[in-house]
Each structure stands twice: as structure tokens, then as C-alpha cells.
């Protein structure tokens, strides 16, 4: 009986460890909203990890997109854009779109939308 309990406890602890690992590697969504000419969230802080960006177009009157760049890089140079953070398609008026999963390492990033002509100093801080 003691062997059965020991084996059961071992299986249970391995199962919990696997579930904890799955939660740590799960994709998390960062939700951002655009209104005419701006993002409603100007600054966000998140832990390092993998994220999908969900971009809501709240009555901007046109299509919107999303660009993420490491702070200090030239935002006008597409080579500096974090391509996985781009929405997979432009987001039509009053709809929502998503990016691909994007790995964010510790540091600061700026985000903007060239289609909606938002400010380029919105800040994402990754701790």
C-alpha cells in the first residue's frame, strides 16, 4: 500500500508540474484599443513572455494596424519593426484583429499605428 501511495503521489506531482509548465508557456493576449488618432492605452507594463496583440478599431473611420519597435530604434525603418507583432491583416472600422504570438524580452518598446496616425511614444515596458 505504501508503494501505491508513493507512486500515486509521484504521478500527481508530475501532472501538476506539467500543468504549471503549460501555463507558463501559454500565449497571453495584450488588448489595445484605437480611437481616431490614438491608442486609449498609452503605457503598459507586462512580465517577459509570449504575447498576442489584440487590436480593437473603435470607430476610427478607417483601417488600423499595429507596429511595435524596441525603444531607441528608428521606427521609420521597417527592419526594426517586430514583424510578429503586426496584426495579421489590417483591422477594419469597428472590428478587432490579432497579431501572431510575439516573444517579448525585458526592456522598453514603443507602439503606434501608421494608418491611424497615432503618436509614436506609446510605451510597453517588459519586466
Amino acid at each position: 500500500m505504501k508503494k501505491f501511495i508513493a507512486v500515486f503521489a509521484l504521478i500527481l506531482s508530475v501532472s501538476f508540474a506539467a500543468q504549471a509548465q503549460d501555463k507558463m508557456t501559454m500565449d497571453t493576449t495584450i488588448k489595445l484599443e484605437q480611437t481616431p488618432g490614438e491608442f486609449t492605452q498609452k503605457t503598459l507594463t507586462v512580465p517577459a513572455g509570449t504575447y498576442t496583440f489584440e487590436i480593437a478599431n473603435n470607430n476610427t473611420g478607417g483601417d488600423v494596424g499595429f507596429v511595435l519597435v524596441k525603444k531607441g530604434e528608428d521606427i521609420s525603418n521597417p527592419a526594426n519593426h517586430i514583424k510578429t507583432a503586426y496584426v495579421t491583416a489590417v483591422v477594419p472600422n469597428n472590428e478587432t484583429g490579432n497579431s501572431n504570438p510575439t516573444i517579448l524580452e525585458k526592456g522598453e518598446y514603443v507602439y503606434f499605428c501608421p494608418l491611424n496616425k497615432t503618436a509614436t511614444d506609446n510605451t510597453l515596458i517588459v519586466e
Side-chain angles (χ1 to χ4, degrees):
M1 185 67 164
K2 287 182 182 180
K3 283 184 181 181
F4 174 76
I5 292 172
V7 170
F8 180 73
L10 178 64
I11 291 171
L12 194 59
S13 66
V14 169
S15 175
F16 282 128
Q19 288 177 358
Q21 181 65 28
D22 284 346
K23 286 185 180 189
M24 287 174 31
T25 59
M26 275 181 37
D27 179 47
T28 303
T29 302
I30 296 174
K31 296 180 180 186
L32 298 169
E33 176 190 41
Q34 290 188 49
T35 57
E38 68 179 349
F39 280 90
T40 57
Q41 302 89 343
K42 310 290 187 215
T43 303
L44 296 168
T45 301
V46 298
T50 301
Y51 295 89
T52 298
F53 292 92
E54 179 180 288
I55 308 301
N57 179 344
N58 188 357
N59 205 29
T60 65
D63 294 339
V64 302
F66 180 72
V67 178
L68 183 69
V69 180
K70 188 89 168 162
K71 190 171 186 173
E73 299 284 333
D74 177 5
I75 64 170
S76 67
N77 184 349
N80 295 328
H81 296 179
I82 299 171
K83 310 272 188 304
T84 55
Y86 287 164
V87 286
T88 57
V90 294
V91 184
N93 196 43
N94 295 318
E95 293 191 22
T96 301
N98 293 291
S99 72
N100 287 307
T102 301
I103 297 170
L104 297 177
E105 297 173 350
K106 186 176 180 177
E108 289 189 37
Y109 301 81
V110 295
Y111 58 92
F112 63 98
C113 175
L115 301 174
N116 188 22
K117 306 273 189 266
T118 64
T120 57
D121 62 351
N122 299 295
T123 305
L124 174 63
I125 301 165
V126 180
E127 299 179 328

